[in-house]
């Protein structure tokens, strides 16, 4: 920021905490792909919220008479083997995917942040917790989620919990590395010297500096959680079959791919688009918030 | 005190009873290797038996070249790092074995100003919050009292009230250091450890900050441990000066004595190295040969013997103790007449 020139009125201070957000906005404008991702994601969220008003019928309404209809003016995406409207099912499926993606991102980030902060600062805990995290990470996240689902009853909440547990180690690693870096900062030393207690050091001096990279990490978790949910549903280990999720729709139409391939096509397109938009947004945010982060993630 | 048992007798200084801070045989070794094989690995002797004291209202300058352990000494005193051995007494109370909670109470009287005026301020906090942080930590004031105190501190260190809401990056280097000083002053400390507070600043700004520190000392009766490598700065601000070489204090004396009649060959060489501001003047300069030896494997005997122009056989074998050769003047050198006398009666200050 340039010094105020002598002619300008003296006391006005235009700069405030808004600068970080303004910088983010400016950087996003430089990334047209991120804008495209953001807009697509926004549309998907609107679709999920407004699902009942988008010309849909009850997605679970069975009608054997009109089963396996190809796409037409009446049934935009056709109907499935039970005569359910695929369009309505896909639109309602948006709700499931976005719920799972956002919930997992939120839960995994929050829990991972808490664990990472503590292990980064309490050295004796670090070795123990990090070995547990290494153990969790050594199991592929889909496999771990399947195992966790197998232990409980299939429900949306359990799917979210299972995927979140599989994602937590990644957040812990990121937060821990940030904390280890930040705790060596002279201003943290200065805070210790001025009598700040450890919890306040974490809250005042470490936490605010982890927000930006965590936000980026959260978008990646969101995208990967949506894919994992679809995979789990597809193999029948995820969202209960009575709930129309993209993975369920694809799973049910799997055997019909030669007769009615479109049933599988539409949820696939929606899933790809949503995951792509979240990833594009994440990439844009990463570049905007910290170019150096590109290497760490 | 049990310290006299663990620390070799010669390293124990006779100290005056009125010392605010008293450091005896302070040591800090860093392992060169971590983990399973750390025990047998060589250690870096960053601080290796440092002793000095600071009286109330006094400034002790701590000088030495890069890597001699002066900053580490400062951090050990602030308990930002734990010493490997030795004793630190704050107003007669041992603080090396205090836990974090007990140390916090001492921190109210023992504050610090750091070298890098940018890195030592949290970039996400406003100037007013930074200065208020110690006050909040000790929670003795209401919000409005605290605001008033911060405003008063801002005025005292020469910052404008409208700068209270600004962020560190909106300040110049000198202003940031004023912020650091205001933060240290907020809780009315007795001693401020200044770890190279002006070495990152322009020369003109250095003078302003130094003068501010001196004014504050006069006004509030503060003591400083002033760590620096710039002899001109140290000469300006200090009452007494301690010279460090390779983790050890080699000479402590009142400022005038150090700068006019240095007793240790290393101090002599340091003063020789100060540039003179008259291009026409040519001096026969005694330049030290060689480099500073590695602190991982420091030389035997006198640490300075590898570079000392007056080196003798005994310097290589026997480590010279820090002893008084005049009132308030201590030197660790075999070649100083006073230092040969081991008779404690010759010590000018009564042993504590």
């Amino acid at each position: 920021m340039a010094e105020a020139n002598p002619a300008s009125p003296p006391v006005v201070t235009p700069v405030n905490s808004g600068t970080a957000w303004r910088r983010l906005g400016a950087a996003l404008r430089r990334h047209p792909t991120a804008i495209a991702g953001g807009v697509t994601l926004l549309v998907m969220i609107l679709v999920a919220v407004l699902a009942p008003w988008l010309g849909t019928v009850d997605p679970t309404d069975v009608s054997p008479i009109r089963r396996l209809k190809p796409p037409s003016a009446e049934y935009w995406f056709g109907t499935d083997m039970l005569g359910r409207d695929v369009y309505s099912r896909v639109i309602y499926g948006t709700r499931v995917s976005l719920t799972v993606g956002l919930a997992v991102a939120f839960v995994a980030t929050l829990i991972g942040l808490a664990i990472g902060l503590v292990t980064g600062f309490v050295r004796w805990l670090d070795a123990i917790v990090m070995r547990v995290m290494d153990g969790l990470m050594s199991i592929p996240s889909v496999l771990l989620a399947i195992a966790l689902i197998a232990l409980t009853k299939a429900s949306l909440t359990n799917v979210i919990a299972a995927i979140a547990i599989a994602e937590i180690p990644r957040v812990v690693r990121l937060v821990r590395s940030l904390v280890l870096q930040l705790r060596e900062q002279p201003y943290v030393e200065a805070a210790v010297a001025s009598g700040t207690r450890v919890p306040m050091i974490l809250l005042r001096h470490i936490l605010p500096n982890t927000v930006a990279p965590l936000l980026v990490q959260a978008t990646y978790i969101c995208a990967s959680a949506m894919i994992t949910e679809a995979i789990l549903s597809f193999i029948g280990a995820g969202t209960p079959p009575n709930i129309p999720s993209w993975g369920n729709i694809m799973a049910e139409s799997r055997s019909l791919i030669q007769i009615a391939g479109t049933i599988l096509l539409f949820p696939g397109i929606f899933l790809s688009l949503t995951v792509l938009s979240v990833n594009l947004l994440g990439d844009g945010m990463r570049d905007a918030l910290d170019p150096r982060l590109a290497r760490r993630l | 005190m049990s310290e006299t048992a663990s620390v070799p007798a010669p390293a124990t200084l006779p100290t005056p009873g009125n010392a605010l801070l008293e450091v005896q045989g302070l040591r800090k070794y860093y392992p060169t290797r971590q983990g399973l094989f750390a025990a047998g690995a060589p250690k870096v002797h960053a601080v290796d038996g440092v002793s000095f004291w600071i009286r109330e209202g006094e400034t002790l300058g701590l000088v030495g070249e890069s890597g001699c352990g002066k900053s580490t000494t400062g951090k050990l005193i602030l308990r930002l790092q734990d010493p490997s051995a030795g004793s630190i007494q704050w107003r007669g109370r041992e603080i090396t074995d205090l836990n974090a909670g007990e140390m916090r109470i001492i921190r109210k009287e023992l504050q610090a100003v750091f070298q890098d005026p940018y890195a030592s301020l949290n970039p996400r906090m406003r100037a007013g919050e930074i200065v208020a942080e110690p006050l909040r930590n000790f929670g003795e004031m209401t919000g409005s009292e605290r605001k008033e105190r911060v405003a008063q501190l801002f005025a005292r260190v020469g910052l404008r009230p409208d700068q209270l809401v600004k962020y560190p990056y909106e300040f110049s280097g000198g202003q940031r250091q004023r912020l650091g000083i205001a933060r240290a002053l907020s809780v009315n400390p007795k001693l401020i450890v200044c770890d190279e507070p002006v070495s990152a600043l322009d020369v003109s700004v250095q003078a302003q900050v130094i003068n501010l520190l001196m004014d504050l000392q006069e006004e509030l009766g503060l003591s400083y441990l002033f760590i620096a490598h710039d002899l001109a700065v140290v000469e300006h601000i200090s009452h007494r000066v301690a010279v460090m070489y390779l983790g050890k204090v080699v000479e402590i004396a009142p400022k005038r004595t150090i700068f006019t009649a240095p007793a240790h060959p290393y101090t002599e060489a340091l003063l020789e190295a100060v540039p003179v501001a008259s291009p026409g003047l040519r001096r026969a300069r005694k330049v030290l040969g060689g480099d500073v030896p590695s602190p991982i494997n420091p030389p035997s005997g006198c640490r300075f013997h590898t570079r000392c122009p007056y080196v003798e056989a005994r310097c290589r074998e026997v480590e010279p103790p820090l002893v008084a050769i005049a009132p308030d003047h201590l030197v660790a050198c075999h070649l100083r007449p006073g230092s040969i006398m081991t008779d404690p009666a010759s010590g000018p200050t009564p042993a504590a």
Side-chain angles (χ1 to χ4, degrees), chain A residues 122-287:
Chain A
V122 185
R123 302 307 294 152
W124 63 267
L125 252 176
D126 187 52
I128 306 164
V129 175
M130 286 323 285
R131 292 301 79 74
V132 174
M133 292 298 146
D134 286 346
L136 280 177
M137 277 185 107
S138 68
I139 308 167
S141 59
V142 174
L143 215 58
L144 185 60
I146 291 172
L148 290 168
I149 288 287
L151 294 175
T152 57
K153 208 171 71 179
S155 75
L156 205 56
T157 319
N158 286 344
V159 169
I160 290 170
I163 303 175
I165 289 172
E167 294 286 351
I168 284 171
R170 284 212 277 173
V171 184
V172 172
R173 288 203 88 105
L174 174 69
V175 174
R176 173 179 171 270
S177 82
L178 287 168
V179 172
L180 290 182
Q181 225 171 39
L182 289 169
R183 61 179 285 165
E184 299 299 324
Q185 291 291 319
Y187 63 79
V188 173
E189 236 172 28
V192 175
S194 57
T196 313
R197 290 196 180 90
V198 171
M200 281 319 278
I201 285 181
L202 287 172
L203 221 61
R204 253 185 232 160
H205 299 282
I206 309 250
L207 190 64
N209 290 301
T210 61
V211 170
L214 268 182
L215 212 58
V216 176
Q217 179 80 348
T219 61
Y220 292 122
I221 289 176
C222 177
S224 108
M226 286 192 285
I227 291 183
T228 310
E229 187 274 331
I231 293 172
L232 290 178
S233 299
F234 189 78
I235 60 175
T239 316
N242 60 329
I243 299 172
S245 84
W246 294 337
N248 279 339
I249 303 170
M250 288 192 273
E252 288 155 8
S253 59
R254 183 170 70 215
S255 51
L256 302 169
I257 190 161
Q258 285 173 311
I259 315 163
T262 49
I263 305 175
L264 198 126
L265 184 66
F266 289 111
I269 290 174
F270 268 70
L271 176 64
S272 312
L273 254 175
T274 313
V275 170
L276 181 69
S277 69
V278 173
N279 274 328
L280 287 178
L281 189 67
D283 284 347
M285 275 181 9
R286 181 197 60 202
D287 293 348

Side-chain angles (χ1 to χ4, degrees), chain A residues 15 195-197 204-205 209, chain B residues 104 119 122 124 133 137 169:
Chain A
V15 185
T196 313
R197 290 196 180 90
R204 253 185 232 160
H205 299 282
N209 290 301
Chain B
R104 236 174 60 83
N122 187 339
R124 283 167 199 270
E133 182 166 23
N137 289 337
Y169 73 91

Side-chain angles (χ1 to χ4, degrees), chain A residues 49-66:
Chain A
V49 173
L50 302 174
W53 296 280
L54 292 173
T56 53
V57 296
D58 182 356
T60 54
D61 191 15
V62 180
S63 172
I65 289 180
R66 52 181 165 92

Side-chain angles (χ1 to χ4, degrees), chain B residues 108-123:
Chain B
K108 219 180 148 228
E109 305 187 308
L110 179 63
Q111 286 284 315
V113 174
F114 294 90
Q115 174 173 17
D116 186 335
Y118 193 63
S120 61
L121 305 174
N122 187 339

